[in-house]
Amino acid sequence: IDTLTTDLVELHSAPSEEPLNLPDTLQLPINVVIDRLGIRTLHTYILGSETPDFSAREIALRLNGDDTLHRLPVFTLTLEQGKLAGKLKIATHSPFALSGQLIFHAWPAAIAADYPASSIVALRLRGNLEQPRAALVIQAGELQGQGNIALHPFATQPLASLNLILNGINPQRFSADFPMANLNLAVNLQQTAQNSLQGNLNLQNTQ
């Protein structure tokens, strides 16, 4: 397929209290190649609700899927919190090995934060769908950060570990009512055998 576009897609699903489970397969009945897929507006709803639980706009992507691997060489979409762009590969068989990169931009304007328009949050993905991992980089003027995240998205406690360093946090960037400061934050969290999180948090004001 060369081009497939639509103005509006609405998805409605029944409410469920069942836990989220790893799928059996991600295989499609046929190989699929779409050079350009575009959706102007996407809403998802729980049946009985008139308010969408998820919305996205200006979705554009390229898809190449076969028996063993799905590839999104490029995709972009706009959320209420900013714009997301990236690329992704995911295997069709369990545990669904994945790799990719996500770049989140235009988020300062979405949250009314006084950071440069060029500010980004970047994630490099690896691992698999059952236990994905990501390396995180934040670049927003004097605010600089890096870290690593490990997830268990289908477990009771989805966060397996978080190591994060953020330097140059100025609360006044988020609201003129907040005091000016130069905060450095270090977070180290690990999941325990009891499915709780244990670790330490260190916050320093260097101003």
Side-chain angles (χ1 to χ4, degrees):
I1 300 174
D2 289 332
T3 302
L4 179 62
T5 62
T6 184
D7 282 339
L8 176 65
V9 173
E10 294 185 343
L11 302 175
H12 298 260
S13 60
S16 174
E17 296 182 359
E18 293 295 321
L20 192 63
N21 293 314
L22 191 72
D24 295 328
T25 181
L26 294 178
Q27 280 185 300
L28 298 175
I30 59 173
N31 293 350
V32 175
V33 177
I34 303 176
D35 286 335
R36 181 174 177 268
L37 172 64
I39 301 173
R40 181 166 295 178
T41 304
L42 168 68
H43 296 308
T44 66
Y45 298 85
I46 300 297
L47 287 176
S49 173
E50 296 183 357
T51 303
D53 58 341
F54 174 80
S55 294
R57 298 181 292 108
E58 301 167 1
I59 301 170
L61 60 86
R62 185 182 305 157
L63 172 64
N64 187 331
D66 56 34
D67 285 345
T68 60
L69 187 67
H70 296 315
R71 305 171 187 86
L72 297 175
V74 60
F75 68 87
T76 62
L77 57 90
T78 299
L79 304 171
E80 182 181 350
Q81 299 83 3
K83 296 184 178 181
L84 186 67
K87 57 184 179 179
L88 181 68
K89 294 180 181 179
I90 185 166
T92 61
H93 298 287
S94 182
F96 312 107
L98 61 83
S99 64
Q101 185 173 8
L102 305 177
I103 299 178
F104 191 50
H105 55 101
W107 57 267
I111 63 173
D114 183 24
Y115 282 107
S118 58
S119 301
I120 64 165
V121 176
L123 289 168
R124 186 170 294 277
L125 304 175
R126 51 197 167 89
N128 55 62
L129 189 59
E130 188 173 16
Q131 298 181 355
R133 303 186 303 278
L136 170 70
V137 174
I138 299 173
Q139 298 177 346
E142 75 279 3
L143 175 63
Q144 300 287 314
Q146 60 183 8
N148 292 283
I149 305 169
L151 300 174
H152 293 155
F154 302 96
T156 304
Q157 171 53 265
L159 180 60
S161 67
L162 171 64
N163 295 283
L164 177 65
I165 295 175
L166 278 177
N167 294 325
I169 306 169
N170 180 2
Q172 204 168 74
R173 287 279 200 176
F174 296 92
S175 173
D177 296 330
F178 293 159
M180 181 179 293
N182 186 22
L183 305 176
N184 294 335
L185 173 67
V187 180
N188 186 314
L189 296 175
Q190 300 288 330
Q191 187 179 136
T192 69
Q194 293 73 36
N195 288 328
S196 61
L197 293 173
Q198 179 177 298
N200 55 71
L201 183 153
N202 184 25
L203 183 64
Q204 294 180 329
N205 186 1
T206 60
Q207 181 169 297

